[in-house]
Amino acid sequence: MAIISSGGTAAPAPRGLRSGAAPERLVDPTAAVEEPPVREDGLRPRRLDDYIGQSELKQVLRIAVEATRRREEALDHVLLYGPPGLGKTTMALVLAEELGVRCRITSAPALERPRDIVGLLVNLQPREVLFIDEIHRLNRVAEEILYPAMEDFRLDLTVGKGTTARTRSLEVAPFTLVGATTRAGSLSSPLRDRFGLIQRLEFYGQDDLEAIVQRAAGLLQLALQPCAAREVARRCRGTPRIANRLLRRVRDVAAVGGHGRIDAALVDQALSLHRVDGRGLDASDRRLLALMLEAYGGGPVGLETLAAGLGEDPATLEAVVEPYLLQLGFLQRTPRGRIVTAAGRAHLDAAGALVA
Ligand code: ADE
């Protein structure tokens, strides 16, 4: 299966919680520029059978793939949503592999001009997969070009200007659009309604994460003890992308220290160095909880207020930082604002020595 990435001139998506000139977060679930590009990341599973976790999603997609294969049609358009780092891009690549077709990869901010999206669509071969990341950021013009393409595999193009403007229809090959978003609620309903399959990716459980870490360790030829895999899994915020990143940092410490077998103590040493605590929180998470507790008595406090206090973009705070704290039950969203829970307070007290 060939993978073609396109675009890339537009501004990057907001990254995780950053403060001033502080270094990037090790536990930022969004993709880091220094990480292997999609086609070179040997840790990604290529087939549904290798993809660990997300069992409901896999079950739905396995049936859809098998049915379309029998009908010899393009798979219905698929919308994947959920927090970053859980495997939406990977799943698009897996789907293409299962269908035996190419996957073309782009992201909405790279589709700035109408000709960007038109160029991609007219070059698609029958049944190919077009993956659009951050699809909630698609501009209105690109969205309107997509509607007839998704529905009838047709492009309605306006040729000429003013009174001489005319509409021309152009056929495109039957294709599958896989859209990915961290913000399903930000998609317009006409766009959302054109996806036949809408699936949420969930944070991974401890067992699945341990299996993902062990699989990655095998591919990286690391001798990882089960207790070490458990420790990485506990600290990776339910997110495989972070698990793999943490594993690479552990590998560095093991290599420099000349450790052959990696145990839990070595994982602790490596991750403490990066200030990632026992539940996967880093200094930025703890700063958020500390700000809420110290300046607002634990809340309720509004998202905008918190973002301003931390010098962070509210959308990033909401989409990238909060989901894991909500999942842990350290934070709650209420109609009057965010509050720190008793568990969040207890964690911060216990982690006191680590607070930045
Ligand atoms: N690596 C990253 N995500 C994975 C997953 N869901 N299954 C297996 N390996 C992975």
Side-chain angles (χ1 to χ4, degrees):
M1 174 196 53
I3 302 161
I4 298 171
S5 300
S6 117
T9 50
R15 299 289 312 280
L17 195 61
R18 275 177 282 176
S19 120
E24 303 272 337
R25 302 173 68 196
L26 188 60
V27 295
D28 185 340
T30 54
V33 276
E34 71 275 12
E35 275 167 356
V38 167
R39 80 189 69 158
E40 286 162 29
D41 186 351
L43 300 186
R44 284 178 199 268
R46 293 171 60 104
R47 305 300 301 252
L48 272 176
D49 282 343
D50 305 325
Y51 193 108
I52 296 161
Q54 308 294 346
S55 52
E56 217 178 285
L57 169 72
K58 282 191 298 192
Q59 200 180 355
V60 167
L61 293 180
R62 207 185 284 282
I63 291 170
V65 164
E66 185 52 36
T68 38
R69 220 191 268 131
R70 289 184 192 193
R71 285 198 297 264
E72 301 187 359
E73 286 175 357
L75 177 71
D76 240 348
H77 306 301
V78 182
L79 179 66
L80 301 174
Y81 70 99
L86 301 189
K88 296 188 281 291
T89 309
T90 302
M91 188 50 92
L93 293 166
V94 164
L95 279 176
E97 187 77 35
E98 294 289 343
L99 294 164
V101 297
R102 274 193 313 187
C103 183
R104 297 187 178 247
I105 298 181
T106 189
S107 76
L111 303 174
E112 221 177 334
R113 300 155 306 176
R115 69 166 184 254
D116 297 326
I117 180 95
V118 170
L120 276 172
L121 290 168
V122 297
N123 283 306
L124 288 171
Q125 298 297 310
R127 299 185 210 160
E128 279 185 351
V129 172
L130 172 62
F131 176 71
I132 304 183
D133 203 6
E134 299 188 81
I135 196 159
H136 61 278
R137 297 176 74 190
L138 213 54
N139 65 48
R140 192 156 190 97
V141 176
E143 222 179 86
E144 282 175 4
I145 291 171
L146 261 184
Y147 295 157
M150 291 175 76
E151 221 158 48
D152 303 319
F153 305 119
R154 191 189 80 234
L155 290 178
D156 293 332
L157 301 175
T158 308
V159 189
K161 277 194 182 144
T163 50
T164 62
R166 259 169 301 151
T167 311
R168 285 268 160 80
S169 267
L170 203 68
E171 269 191 33
V172 296
F175 70 102
T176 300
L177 176 65
V178 178
T181 180
T182 52
R183 306 170 64 89
S186 303
L187 240 65
S188 71
S189 357
L191 182 57
R192 200 172 42 240
D193 292 347
R194 284 171 169 82
F195 288 96
L197 294 155
I198 301 182
Q199 293 289 317
R200 182 186 158 78
L201 278 85
E202 309 285 347
F203 282 116
Y204 291 68
Q206 179 70 19
D207 290 349
D208 288 337
L209 291 166
E210 283 181 41
I212 288 170
V213 170
Q214 284 292 12
R215 177 180 175 274
L219 292 168
L220 294 171
Q221 300 186 315
L222 296 176
L224 199 69
Q225 288 186 359
C227 60
R230 204 172 308 131
E231 197 58 31
V232 174
R234 231 194 355 234
R235 295 184 182 213
C236 71
R237 309 165 76 93
T239 306
R241 179 182 290 148
I242 298 176
N244 288 341
R245 198 182 295 154
L246 297 183
L247 190 61
R248 287 190 164 98
R249 299 292 71 80
V250 171
R251 176 175 65 164
D252 290 348
V253 171
V256 170
H259 302 274
R261 279 183 75 75
I262 297 171
D263 60 14
L266 194 74
V267 172
D268 183 54
Q269 184 193 333
L271 301 188
S272 298
L273 192 66
H274 291 280
R275 306 171 73 103
V276 175
D277 70 27
R279 301 297 297 272
L281 272 60
D282 74 349
S284 298
D285 297 305
R286 292 186 294 268
R287 211 159 43 235
L288 169 65
L289 295 177
L291 174 71
M292 292 180 71
L293 287 168
E294 287 161 18
Y296 302 100
V301 51
L303 176 70
E304 305 278 336
T305 308
L306 287 173
L310 294 162
E312 185 51 55
D313 164 47
T316 305
L317 201 57
E318 188 173 35
V320 176
V321 183
E322 284 191 346
Y324 181 64
L325 295 173
L326 291 164
Q327 159 94 0
L328 281 181
F330 287 1
L331 204 65
Q332 269 173 6
R333 280 183 191 151
T334 74
R336 294 195 302 129
R338 277 63 175 160
I339 54 174
V340 180
T341 63
R345 188 185 293 266
H347 180 80
L348 199 66
D349 287 344
L354 277 167
V355 174

